[in-house]
Amino acid sequence: MIIDRDKWQEIFSTINKNKLRTFLTGFSVAWGIFMLIILLGSGQGLQNGVQHQFANDATNSLWIYQGLTTKPYQGMNAGRKIQFTNADYIRTKNLDSRINHISGRSRVGSKTISYKNNYGSYSIRAVDPAHRFIENTIITKGRFLNRMDLEHFSKVVVIGNAVDKDLFKHGANPIGKYVKIGDIPFEVIGVFKAAGGNGEIRKVFIPVSTAQRVFNGGNRLDQIAFTVGNATLAQTKQIEKEVRYEFARAHHFDPADRRAIHISNNLADYEKVMNLFLGIRIFIWIIGIGTIIAGIVGVSNIMMIVVKERTKEIGIRKALGATPRSIIGLILLESVVITSLAGYLGLMAGVGLLELVNKYMPPTDFFRNPQANLSIALIAMALLVIAGAIAGFIPAKNAASIKPIDALRDE
Amino acid sequence: MIRLENIHKSYRMGKNKLHVLKGIDLHIKQGELVSIMGSSGSGKSTLLNIIGILDNYDEGKYFLDKTLIKGLSEKKAAFYRNKMLGFVFQSFNLIPFKNAMENVALPLYYQKIPRKKRNKKALEYLEKMGLRPWAEHLPNELSGGQKQRLAIARALITRPKVILADEPTGALDSKTSMEVMELMRQINHEGITMIIVTHEQDIAEQTDRIIHLKDGRIENDAISTETKQKVFETLVEEEAAVV
């Protein structure tokens, strides 16, 4: 039935007869789909941008920062500084089985790093080997810190690619070379880049044990960061609570004192942002569908006029033996063809524009890779066919209920 | 072939009821060539529409080839129209954007006959009507006589039992009218029952039987030349009375 040549011939001949009218009708639908695709694509671009920022850190990571107590507790005054030590690292590690990567961090600050005549000031991160899983770090040359480095207090350093470029000119291989951090020589064992933005690459990583020994750190740590595998948000909240309780017990502060330690839960932040995007997406769909409904009403209107104009023809067909079903099919198919065709053009225009933006607009921190993916395009197409059917339904029913005798009288 | 028993039909015009057919009893046998005459408002078109299942009736019984036609669904009605009946209209009622061949083939489309087969058959019928060279032409490129022959070809293509013609020569000049009537007679000779509504005396004269309708009733059912002549005279009187 659908590939019946006569039906198509009829549809295209009526479309042909009223080119401008068909164009104007189709335009409203095309515009609706165009806007929907642009909006969805931009929403996706915004989301991609923000998601890219999160790529820097594992989205399932929790960070514990030390703070000042704000409540007197067990005879101690408020305003006491909580200082983390290696014991806190062990404590956290044994806290929950879901914790899979953990790293203490000791503050060293910025130091001058030099190689031969080249030097610069870079911030030093004293971390555990597991740190690379917490802040997604990609090794481009050599290797990252390992357990041996940590246990032997090795003076080794993994440098950011900007540091590599600054110190090792003309593409010299930095691996195995010794750089001076302050006055102390460290062997370069690797070069890294960050999965996220550009900020991280002017940094170097050294083993936290070495940092404590070389830069007078004692057994002190400043931050503890860990990832929680595929724990759910609720589970990370639970772990957060456990951390707070354990630290409160060990450091003698009130577990209700939110300022004694700070815990930043990346998953919570991530989910918050993703929820925001879900909201934006729903909003976009509502606007888009609203626009399409306006288009549907337009198509429906035109189909009403088409049926009115073709009353006589429909009467003739009925006199020749056309069933109501074949008449309904004719009108419905025409409506579906107009909306689908116009919608398809709108879809293509929208996707085309997004592709252009994608190609010629450099990605920023908040906007990158705007795109309407295939599933959205397919949903949009399905929506169009349904829209066309809805738009044609009432006119088609009107057409089918025309009595042949009334139709023939119509001049 | 066609049996009408006490057919009543009225139209509702706002609050008024217009009683158009007031009990028609009529029997038309297979192969008859019948004309229906009557002044305007006599109900002759309504009668033809009921016979053609284009309109329904309120009371009585209508048998088409022994099948009771009453309260049919649109689908059933479409089936009978397609299989049993062929229509020829005063205004031809061709579909303007289809060429001659496609217009003729259209009834076969509703019989779900494949395109090739029905176009072949349409060409055969165009040949019969002497329209073969115009097969690819659109209706508006044809003369009135050609259009009506085209419409007749369309009515014939399903090999119907009955052909119903509503003023088939009403839009034609007298010469073409005669040609068309000659064609209709030929078709009738092949055994197809034919009912023609007309107000033209020279058309009615060529039919075997004239049914004279007046005020929704059969005034006269004329077969012999004398009775036919009487019908014509009363019709002239009727018209004079209106004037």
Side-chain angles (χ1 to χ4, degrees):
Chain A
M1 272 302 252
I2 295 291
I3 44 167
D4 190 319
R5 203 172 128 190
D6 293 69
K7 237 172 204 174
W8 289 108
Q9 183 204 22
E10 268 156 36
I11 288 162
F12 285 113
S13 69
T14 44
I15 288 174
N16 244 332
K17 257 196 304 190
N18 301 296
K19 280 197 192 84
L20 181 67
R21 193 173 70 186
T22 310
F23 168 75
L24 290 174
T25 327
F27 185 78
S28 61
V29 175
W31 185 249
I33 286 290
F34 178 75
M35 289 311 290
L36 180 68
I37 293 296
I38 293 294
L39 285 170
L40 283 173
S42 309
Q44 190 67 44
L46 211 60
Q47 185 170 353
N48 286 347
V50 173
Q51 223 154 9
H52 194 74
Q53 299 220 311
F54 272 102
N56 224 349
D57 298 332
T59 50
N60 60 346
S61 60
L62 274 80
W63 301 69
I64 313 169
Y65 304 92
Q66 42 198 12
L68 297 173
T69 60
T70 53
K71 291 177 183 170
Y73 187 68
Q74 293 181 350
M76 283 178 281
N77 282 336
R80 184 166 51 93
K81 187 178 186 229
I82 303 297
Q83 176 65 54
F84 296 163
T85 65
N86 289 343
D88 289 305
Y89 169 82
I90 305 288
R91 194 188 328 284
T92 313
K93 193 173 184 174
N94 297 332
L95 190 69
D96 194 296
S97 60
R98 279 175 294 233
I99 296 175
N100 52 355
H101 299 295
I102 175 162
S103 169
R105 263 161 76 147
S106 150
R107 183 177 305 137
V108 179
S110 286
K111 293 217 178 282
T112 301
I113 302 179
S114 62
Y115 176 73
K116 292 184 179 164
N117 293 329
N118 302 318
Y119 59 89
S121 178
Y122 305 101
S123 106
I124 316 278
R125 292 279 163 90
V127 299
D128 237 60
H131 189 271
R132 62 180 295 197
F133 302 108
I134 301 166
E135 250 177 18
N136 291 333
T137 307
I138 297 165
I139 296 293
T140 53
K141 291 176 195 164
R143 63 172 177 86
F144 197 69
L145 307 172
N146 64 22
R147 196 105 324 254
M148 296 282 276
D149 300 330
L150 199 73
E151 281 166 10
H152 293 116
F153 307 94
S154 310
K155 294 199 189 72
V156 291
V157 61
V158 181
I159 59 177
N161 53 8
V163 182
D164 177 21
K165 226 175 277 167
D166 288 353
L167 300 185
F168 298 91
K169 304 284 187 189
H170 312 300
N173 185 8
I175 309 296
K177 305 283 181 350
Y178 283 84
V179 294
K180 280 184 176 167
I181 301 180
D183 287 327
I184 303 151
F186 277 75
E187 185 188 357
V188 177
I189 56 166
V191 180
F192 74 94
K193 65 173 189 176
N198 307 340
E200 293 280 359
I201 46 183
R202 299 190 61 81
K203 289 168 189 162
V204 304
F205 287 119
I206 59 173
V208 62
S209 57
T210 315
Q212 284 172 338
R213 181 170 285 185
V214 175
F215 298 108
N216 288 328
N219 65 348
R220 290 191 297 274
L221 292 174
D222 300 297
Q223 282 173 38
I224 295 165
F226 58 89
T227 60
V228 289
N230 51 8
T232 63
L233 183 60
Q235 286 167 333
T236 65
K237 292 274 187 204
Q238 179 59 34
I239 293 168
E240 214 181 304
K241 225 183 244 172
E242 288 168 20
V243 166
R244 196 172 286 285
Y245 180 77
E246 277 300 310
F247 274 62
R249 205 170 52 81
H251 291 275
H252 309 289
F253 64 82
D254 188 343
D257 188 351
R258 311 293 295 181
R259 293 256 180 101
I261 58 169
H262 301 290
I263 302 173
S264 142
N265 186 337
N266 250 352
L267 189 63
D269 293 346
Y270 182 75
E271 297 220 337
K272 232 181 264 170
V273 173
M274 287 307 121
N275 279 339
L276 176 70
F277 279 112
L278 182 69
I280 291 176
R281 240 190 335 258
I282 291 171
F283 183 63
I284 287 173
W285 273 105
I286 290 172
I287 293 176
I289 287 173
T291 319
I292 292 173
I293 286 174
I296 292 176
V297 172
V299 173
S300 200
N301 248 323
I302 292 298
M303 292 313 295
M304 287 287 212
I305 295 170
V306 166
V307 168
K308 191 93 197 105
E309 277 183 357
R310 292 174 73 183
T311 299
K312 192 178 166 78
E313 183 203 320
I314 289 165
I316 297 170
R317 285 170 184 280
K318 286 194 159 183
L320 297 181
T323 55
R325 212 172 132 174
S326 77
I327 301 288
I328 288 178
L330 195 67
I331 303 296
L332 266 190
L333 192 61
E334 178 167 341
S335 165
V336 169
V337 165
I338 292 179
T339 42
S340 313
L341 224 57
Y344 185 71
L345 290 179
L347 189 76
M348 285 294 118
V351 170
L353 184 64
L354 287 181
E355 282 300 312
L356 280 181
V357 169
N358 215 348
K359 206 168 171 188
Y360 294 109
M361 206 184 86
T364 68
D365 279 351
F366 292 103
F367 197 81
R368 61 169 58 224
N369 298 335
Q371 53 181 310
N373 56 32
L374 188 66
S375 66
I376 288 178
L378 288 178
I379 291 171
M381 278 316 286
L383 203 68
L384 281 173
V385 174
I386 294 168
I390 294 172
F393 182 70
I394 294 171
K397 268 197 78 171
N398 280 356
S401 66
I402 292 172
K403 276 210 289 182
I405 177 69
D406 293 337
L408 289 172
R409 247 186 244 126
D410 185 83
E411 286 298 337
Chain B
M1 177 58 56
I2 287 167
R3 184 184 290 279
L4 300 174
E5 289 172 8
N6 191 29
I7 295 289
H8 284 264
K9 170 78 181 172
S10 49
Y11 290 111
R12 202 169 282 282
M13 301 281 218
K15 277 186 179 172
N16 300 324
K17 227 167 115 187
L18 191 64
H19 206 165
V20 183
L21 297 180
K22 301 167 180 167
I24 300 284
D25 289 292
L26 183 61
H27 183 206
I28 295 171
K29 288 194 280 295
Q30 184 169 358
E32 273 194 275
L33 176 54
V34 182
S35 59
I36 301 174
M37 296 195 80
S39 53
S40 54
S42 61
K44 56 187 194 300
S45 284
T46 305
L47 182 59
L48 194 76
N49 288 334
I50 288 173
I51 293 173
I53 329 180
L54 296 174
D55 207 349
N56 47 12
Y57 54 95
D58 304 330
E59 227 180 277
K61 279 176 180 169
Y62 164 32
F63 294 93
L64 173 63
D65 199 19
K66 298 183 183 92
T67 316
L68 177 64
I69 305 293
K70 191 160 197 177
L72 293 182
S73 69
E74 256 309 306
K75 200 179 158 192
K76 266 271 166 63
F79 173 79
Y80 284 118
R81 271 179 229 138
N82 186 272
K83 283 280 180 192
M84 307 280 286
L85 303 167
F87 294 92
V88 177
F89 303 95
Q90 178 176 10
S91 52
F92 320 122
N93 283 340
L94 299 166
I95 293 177
F97 55 83
K98 285 178 171 284
N99 69 29
M101 179 184 72
E102 290 162 341
N103 260 294
V104 173
L106 192 59
L108 297 183
Y109 170 70
Y110 291 116
Q111 290 185 4
K112 306 214 183 333
I113 288 174
R115 186 184 174 79
K116 264 197 181 146
K117 209 171 155 194
R118 61 174 193 265
N119 282 349
K120 191 167 159 259
K121 211 157 180 207
L123 288 177
E124 273 172 38
Y125 277 86
L126 285 174
E127 183 81 61
K128 268 194 195 172
M129 298 293 143
L131 288 172
R132 182 64 183 79
W134 285 273
E136 307 287 332
H137 286 238
L138 291 177
N140 62 9
E141 296 165 343
L142 303 177
S143 71
Q146 286 173 325
K147 281 186 205 172
Q148 199 58 298
R149 276 185 282 156
L150 192 59
I152 292 169
R154 185 179 63 183
L156 283 176
I157 197 163
T158 55
R159 311 241 15 107
K161 296 254 165 66
V162 180
I163 284 194
L164 302 170
D166 192 359
E167 304 273 10
T169 59
L172 303 176
D173 62 63
S174 51
K175 187 169 167 283
T176 11
S177 292
M178 285 307 122
E179 283 168 15
V180 166
M181 264 321 284
E182 187 49 43
L183 194 60
M184 305 276 268
R185 283 175 65 88
Q186 271 177 34
I187 293 160
N188 175 246
H189 283 311
E190 290 168 23
I192 296 175
T193 313
M194 193 166 290
I195 303 172
I196 302 171
V197 165
T198 185
H199 63 269
E200 288 171 64
Q201 191 177 323
D202 38 0
I203 299 300
E205 265 174 352
Q206 298 185 47
T207 61
D208 305 334
R209 180 177 170 192
I210 299 175
I211 289 155
H212 176 200
L213 278 190
K214 192 184 175 188
D215 281 339
R217 288 196 180 85
I218 295 179
E219 178 87 0
N220 233 319
D221 191 342
I223 295 175
S224 66
T225 323
E226 298 91 72
T227 42
K228 280 181 185 168
Q229 202 52 45
K230 215 177 141 201
V231 169
F232 296 144
E233 279 161 23
T234 26
L235 273 168
V236 172
E237 277 166 32
E238 267 177 43
E239 255 160 63
V242 171
V243 173

